[in-house]
Every structure is written in structure tokens, then in C-alpha cells.
Amino acid sequence: MVGMPSRKVGGKPTSSDVAAAAGVSRSAVSFAFNNPQRISAATRERILAAAADLGYTPNTLARMLQAGTTNSIGVLLPQRLAQILENPYYARFLMGVGQICDQEGYTLLLTPPLQDSVLKAIPYAAVDGFIVCGLETEGAEVAELIRRDIPFVLIDSDRYENAPSVEVDDRGGAREVTRYLLDLGHRRIAVLSIAPGPDVATRGYRGPLGRRMTGIEEALAASGLTMADVALAEVPVTRVDGYRATKELMARPVPPTAIMALSDVLAYGAVDALQELGHQVPDEVSVTGFDDLAESAWFRPRLTTVRQPIVTKGRSAASFLISAVRGEDQHPHQLLGTTLIVRDSAIKPLM
């Protein structure tokens, strides 16, 4: 007769400890947790009782890694978590990703750069695949994912021939909002742009920013203008940076009558600065955004902006990735539409 097991003193209990305490083999302990139909109900109960008494829990992650799967997907982020969580865009995007993870039984791991390097973070993430946000396809990160044969889906990036991607019509959205301001009669336009990568001088604008800048240029060209006719400020996507940049733009000898922000967050900062300076929005200066975050509908003045389907983008990215992980049929590229949402923050200029 097997006596009652005693708690192990010092160290984490192992399956061998449980086996010894229950008087069974290690294989039987494994069956008790993973394949209970392989042993009798009485034996399983004895093993579980011994495990509970010892405080033993199976190493689920190790078991999954041994099987070659973790039932977890990662979101490979281009910035530190503090910066990501400051931007409400990512809350909406991750909501969509999370909805599919809940539906399909996957957990989600946020993977920011390690020591300021996205490349260094990849080997430390125990996931079945990555949603890759805001990386260039010619970068070392994508090459490393391909080398490791890790499934991935690109978001807010350049398109890569053999990788699934989900994009929005950044070019069309930027063209439409630029044309809207021009049609209102604005010619002194300032663009609050998302800060580009460090290689913009040699390689030009890339990804969504490149597409948005192209859309702006197309709308300007249709009115006989170029980018030289607009004031351009390139800043990180934070409300405070939108505020600071707007203060500088309005201090110019000829300030703009319209500020076109390439994110709603930058637009909020622009309005903050204009109101602090005593300018009426939109009576004196019009402001537009890009994203249509939830706050934009009740922000004052209500923000005219370009709506992109952020939650849908997250859902599509997660669905594509899980399909790739499972080896199912792929739909490699999806383009989601944008819509100009006209509210209260942009009107005809006074002069």
C-alpha cells in the first residue's frame, strides 16, 4: 500500500516526485494530465491527489514547445510598450486581434523591441507566428522570420511577395482629405506627419506613410501645387508632439489656415495648441485627422478625419496568421477601404 505523499522540501516538484509519491511510472503521470483515457480512473485520481499534495503543476509551455506549438501568436511591435500603449490606435487594433484569439483558442503575446532591437526580440518569443507591425520588408527582421520558417503577417508595412499582409487604402484616404481641404479653398496647408524611419533621406517614405504622402502629392498636383507649397512637420505619434509642432507652425510668419494631421492623436494635440494660442477651430484654423478613433466623434470640435477599419484590420491579421500556422489555404493580401468622415473641425478659410 502506498503511503500518503509528503511535500517536497526545497525546489520545484517534478513529475518524478509525483510518480514516486503515487507509486506509478512517469509515463502514468504524463497520461494523467495529457491522456487520461490511457489509465484507470482510480490511478488518475491517486496521481492527481499526489500532485496536489506536492504542489506540482505540469510545464505546459515545455510540453507545447516539445510538440512544436504554443497556441500563442505574437504581435511584433516597432516601438517600446510605453509608446505603443500611449497610442489608442493600438488599443483598437489589438481589440480586433484579441477577438480572433478568443474565438480560436489562442493566447496573445506582445513583443516589443529588446534592447531597442526588434530583431533581438524574435528568438525570445515562444509563439507559433507573428503579426509584424510597421516593419520594412527589406529589413533584417523579416529575413530572420523567413530563415526561421516562422509564419507571419505584415501590417502597416510594405508588401512582401510571399507573405500575407493586411493594408488599408492609405493613399486614397490621404488624397481624399487633401482634396477636401483644397476644395474648401485652403492653400496654406500644414501637414503633421508621422516621423519617418532614419533612412528616409536615401530610400524615401515607406509603408503607410509613403502611401499617404503619395496621396497628398496627387491631390496637390491636381490643384497645381506640390509638397513645396505646404509646411511639413514630422513628429512621433503622441498628442504632446502634435501640440508642440503646431505651436511651431503657428509661429511662422505666414501660419497655415489648415492643419492636416496624419493621425487623430496628432490632430488632438494640434487642437490643444490652437485653443491655447487663442485660435478658434475651425473658424480661424481647420484641423483634420486620420484613423477615426472613438474619441474623434465626441472631441470638440468633432474631428473631420479619414476612417480606417482598425478593428477589422486586427481581426483580418489574426485570422490570416492562424490560418498560416495551421497550414490552411491562404489569402495573402487584403486591402481595406478608407472613408472621409466630415464633421465640424474643417470649414472654408476666412481669407
Side-chain angles (χ1 to χ4, degrees), residues 281-310:
V281 181
D283 295 345
E284 297 177 73
V285 184
S286 292
V287 177
T288 62
F290 199 113
D291 286 332
D292 195 29
L293 301 174
E295 183 180 350
S296 297
W298 50 266
F299 189 77
R300 290 296 179 268
R302 297 186 314 144
L303 188 65
T304 292
T305 186
V306 176
R307 175 179 294 166
Q308 62 161 312
I310 304 171

Side-chain angles (χ1 to χ4, degrees), residues 15-327:
S15 60
S16 297
D17 298 326
V18 176
V24 298
S25 67
R26 287 184 61 191
S27 295
V29 174
S30 178
F31 292 153
F33 286 98
N34 304 314
N35 302 102
Q37 68 277 7
R38 299 285 297 273
I39 58 177
S40 68
T43 299
R44 182 170 188 265
E45 289 300 321
R46 188 166 78 250
I47 293 170
L48 295 180
D53 188 78
L54 289 169
Y56 169 81
T57 55
N59 191 331
T60 304
L61 178 58
R63 187 171 70 247
M64 286 183 171
L65 290 174
Q66 188 175 18
T69 183
T70 64
N71 280 348
S72 178
I73 62 174
V75 178
L76 199 57
L77 299 167
Q79 300 169 317
R80 296 179 181 181
L81 279 177
Q83 294 173 285
I84 292 296
L85 297 176
E86 189 176 3
N87 188 346
Y89 162 87
Y90 278 102
R92 300 289 294 170
F93 176 74
L94 292 173
M95 179 189 299
V97 174
Q99 288 172 355
I100 297 301
C101 286
D102 290 342
Q103 176 182 307
E104 300 296 331
Y106 278 72
T107 58
L108 181 63
L109 177 68
L110 300 184
T111 308
L114 177 63
Q115 299 173 351
D116 293 325
S117 169
V118 175
L119 184 63
K120 291 180 180 178
I122 293 173
Y124 290 92
V127 297
D128 295 333
F130 283 107
I131 296 171
V132 183
C133 296
L135 295 182
E136 297 177 1
T137 57
E138 295 176 10
E141 298 87 357
V142 170
E144 179 67 6
L145 291 171
I146 294 173
R147 187 186 71 80
R148 288 176 173 267
D149 196 26
I150 299 174
F152 64 95
V153 176
L154 297 174
I155 300 297
D156 296 337
S157 180
D158 292 322
R159 180 177 292 191
Y160 189 81
E161 182 178 357
N162 296 317
S165 66
V166 182
E167 307 166 4
V168 299
D169 186 11
D170 295 287
R171 180 175 176 176
R175 183 173 56 243
E176 188 172 11
V177 70
T178 306
R179 185 169 56 222
Y180 177 72
L181 289 174
L182 292 168
D183 288 346
L184 286 175
H186 291 280
R187 291 300 181 270
R188 288 158 39 199
I189 298 173
V191 176
L192 275 184
S193 171
I194 302 164
D199 58 353
V200 63
T202 57
R203 298 173 61 189
Y205 293 104
R206 306 297 301 272
L209 177 57
R211 294 190 286 271
R212 292 180 194 183
M213 296 301 286
T214 298
I216 293 170
E217 290 172 353
E218 290 172 344
L220 290 171
S223 295
L225 303 173
T226 70
M227 286 299 296
D229 296 304
V230 304
L232 178 64
E234 299 174 333
V235 296
V237 186
T238 69
R239 189 163 178 163
V240 69
D241 282 297
Y243 167 90
R244 290 170 179 165
T246 299
K247 283 284 193 77
E248 294 176 2
L249 289 168
M250 297 308 297
R252 295 188 176 194
V254 183
T257 63
I259 296 176
M260 179 170 52
L262 297 191
S263 85
D264 283 4
V265 172
L266 291 175
Y268 302 156
V271 173
D272 291 340
L274 290 167
Q275 291 176 341
E276 184 176 296
L277 291 169
H279 295 291
Q280 297 297 314
V281 181
D283 295 345
E284 297 177 73
V285 184
S286 292
V287 177
T288 62
F290 199 113
D291 286 332
D292 195 29
L293 301 174
E295 183 180 350
S296 297
W298 50 266
F299 189 77
R300 290 296 179 268
R302 297 186 314 144
L303 188 65
T304 292
T305 186
V306 176
R307 175 179 294 166
Q308 62 161 312
I310 304 171
V311 175
T312 299
K313 182 161 62 172
R315 289 179 58 89
S316 295
S319 295
F320 278 17
L321 180 57
I322 291 172
S323 292
V325 167
R326 291 173 174 171

